[in-house]
Amino acid sequence: MRIRLLPGERVLVRTRPNPLPLVGPVIAGFLILAVGGFGLGYLARPDLPGVLTGWQPVLLPVVFGVVVLVLLRVVALPLVRWAGNRYVITSMRLIHRTGTARRTEHQINLSAISQLQTEQGLVERMAGSGTLVADLGFDRSHAYRHVPQIATFKDYVVQAIGELPLTRMFDGVDMEIDPQYAHGGTPWVQQEWRDAQP
């Protein structure tokens, strides 16, 4: 997965979601294989009841096809979705990419994040994963679900935010300051100071 980086930007962390959500589909896959194998074995018997004997050449491929389709839907699709998910922390952004054939990308500037919150259920705590919620202010937020090693991931985001360069708002660039005020004198009216400038 290639990320189009901005000038001066670098990738800090790149990871997939925790595979915990795949436990259910994998267990379901084993059950489907067991039931499908039993059904195919039963239909392949030479001593089938009279009604089924005539349908045996049709039933075997139909049942096999149904088992394959159910496996694709229940097991393969969640696996492909999981494999197409990426969480990326760069020195400037937090990126969530989803999809393989059709890709969706959600980006948040680290400078826009006002607060980070983690949420974990009991099973997620045991696995070390969880949901990271990035609060963007003005009732806007974005949730990153099933983040692996959620505490470490959050620490990386906090560290990246702390290493951001100071913005124009805070570094004094383009600020108009009364020279006498800067030297401890009585400040002039701003308009008068502007008029006095050459």
Side-chain angles (χ1 to χ4, degrees):
M1 177 189 73
R2 294 184 62 85
I3 299 286
R4 189 173 297 172
L5 298 175
L6 302 172
E9 185 179 27
R10 67 189 191 282
V11 174
L12 304 177
V13 177
R14 183 177 298 166
T15 185
R16 283 193 178 98
N18 191 286
L20 187 63
L22 296 177
V23 172
V26 168
I27 293 174
F30 281 119
L31 292 175
I32 292 166
L33 285 173
V35 172
F38 176 80
L40 289 170
Y42 179 79
L43 292 174
R45 289 171 40 189
D47 58 339
L48 278 176
V51 177
L52 295 176
T53 303
W55 289 94
Q56 191 177 32
V58 176
L59 287 175
L60 280 172
V62 168
V63 171
F64 180 78
V66 168
V67 170
V68 170
L69 288 175
V70 172
L71 280 174
L72 288 174
R73 175 67 181 89
V74 174
V75 181
L77 190 57
L79 182 60
V80 169
R81 284 179 180 163
W82 173 82
N85 258 329
R86 291 283 194 290
Y87 295 135
V88 181
I89 305 172
T90 73
S91 55
M92 298 181 184
R93 297 174 291 167
L94 190 53
I95 302 170
H96 180 200
R97 274 192 172 179
T98 58
T100 49
R102 183 180 178 185
R103 179 167 291 168
T104 303
E105 184 171 288
H106 186 275
Q107 301 181 19
I108 293 176
N109 289 331
L110 294 178
S111 58
I113 298 175
S114 60
Q115 185 178 2
L116 289 170
Q117 177 182 338
T118 57
E119 299 172 356
Q120 290 178 294
L122 179 61
V123 178
E124 287 178 320
R125 274 198 315 237
M126 294 169 60
S129 65
T131 299
L132 181 71
V133 180
D135 187 353
L136 308 175
F138 303 103
D139 293 327
R140 294 180 303 132
S141 63
H142 186 73
Y144 299 86
R145 305 192 184 282
H146 306 295
V147 176
Q149 300 299 320
I150 183 71
T152 305
F153 191 88
K154 180 183 176 183
D155 288 344
Y156 283 135
V157 176
V158 170
Q159 183 178 350
I161 292 173
E163 292 175 357
L164 287 173
L166 294 174
T167 63
R168 294 166 67 110
M169 179 188 293
F170 299 109
D171 65 2
V173 176
D174 291 344
M175 289 180 61
E176 294 182 355
I177 301 175
D178 185 335
Q180 286 199 2
Y181 183 83
H183 290 84
T186 305
W188 299 348
V189 178
Q190 188 175 19
Q191 187 59 44
E192 291 178 358
W193 180 76
R194 283 182 181 168
D195 293 340
Q197 298 304 307

